[in-house]
Amino acid sequence: MTKSIIEIEIKRTKNPIVVRLFLLVITIICFFIPILILGYRIYLKKGLHISVFLSFAFFWGVVYFFVKLILWNTYGFEKVTLKGNLLLYEANYKYFAKKTQLSFDQKLRVVILEEESVSPKKGTMKFINEKEEYIETVLLNDLSLLQEFKEKI
């Protein structure tokens, strides 16, 4: 195994604009629901109640989830970097990023998981160390590109 840096970037194809607009509409509605609940309670002169805080927490949690989903469907990509005995995985959402690392001593197994339901053959990769800890990519990519990356390792 070489000690050089090997890197692969897996980009996704954007979802149709209709899907992204639908998610955006749901996000905007969920953003304003707790504000409307608060306004209605003020209008009725009932004041603050624990339900107002719970509605803010719940609906804005849903907004956070949908914003990440919209960004992933628009700008998302994965980056896998092999530096010596450390594998770095990053799922990038433009404004959010999930980073994970996997260390290994001697051997890093790379398994290509072929997706059966896709007509041009595509798949994902799974990286497994000696302790059977693993990192799995999410985005589908051409099997030839995945095989090429596997051979570099």
Side-chain angles (χ1 to χ4, degrees):
M1 174 156 320
T2 64
K3 296 291 182 186
S4 64
I5 296 173
I6 301 171
E7 186 172 286
I8 184 173
E9 195 169 287
I10 305 170
K11 294 194 183 270
R12 68 173 292 119
T13 57
K14 289 183 181 181
N15 281 1
I17 190 75
V18 174
V19 173
R20 290 182 279 150
L21 284 176
F22 178 73
L23 290 173
L24 184 62
V25 168
I26 291 174
T27 304
I28 292 169
I29 289 170
C30 286
F31 179 81
F32 284 112
I33 285 175
I35 296 171
L36 293 172
I37 290 171
L38 178 62
Y40 184 68
R41 287 195 58 88
I42 291 172
Y43 173 74
L44 293 178
K45 297 180 179 153
K46 292 205 175 197
L48 291 177
H49 187 264
I50 189 70
S51 62
V52 174
F53 296 111
L54 291 176
S55 70
F56 270 97
F58 174 75
F59 283 105
W60 284 6
V62 171
V63 167
Y64 174 75
F65 172 77
F66 275 116
V67 165
K68 283 182 71 171
L69 189 63
I70 291 167
L71 290 173
W72 178 253
N73 285 323
T74 307
Y75 304 108
F77 68 91
E78 295 176 311
K79 187 158 98 176
V80 179
T81 308
L82 183 65
K83 292 182 181 179
N85 288 350
L86 189 64
L87 180 88
L88 304 169
Y89 170 80
E90 177 184 1
N92 193 311
Y93 299 70
K94 190 172 184 177
Y95 299 113
F96 302 97
K98 175 189 169 198
K99 296 182 181 183
T100 309
Q101 61 184 22
L102 180 70
S103 60
F104 57 97
D105 294 327
Q106 300 295 323
K107 187 175 130 189
L108 178 68
R109 268 190 309 154
V110 181
V111 179
I112 297 176
L113 306 170
E114 188 175 331
E115 185 67 34
E116 301 293 330
S117 62
V118 181
S119 65
K121 293 295 181 185
K122 293 188 175 203
T124 59
M125 298 180 82
K126 189 173 190 177
F127 303 93
I128 308 168
N129 68 3
E130 304 90 6
K131 300 173 190 169
E132 295 300 318
E133 300 169 333
Y134 66 90
I135 293 176
E136 188 173 342
T137 62
V138 177
L139 297 177
L140 294 175
N141 212 342
D142 292 329
L143 289 179
S144 59
L145 184 65
L146 297 177
Q147 189 63 36
E148 180 182 316
F149 180 68
K150 182 179 177 179
E151 289 170 2
K152 285 183 183 178
I153 296 175

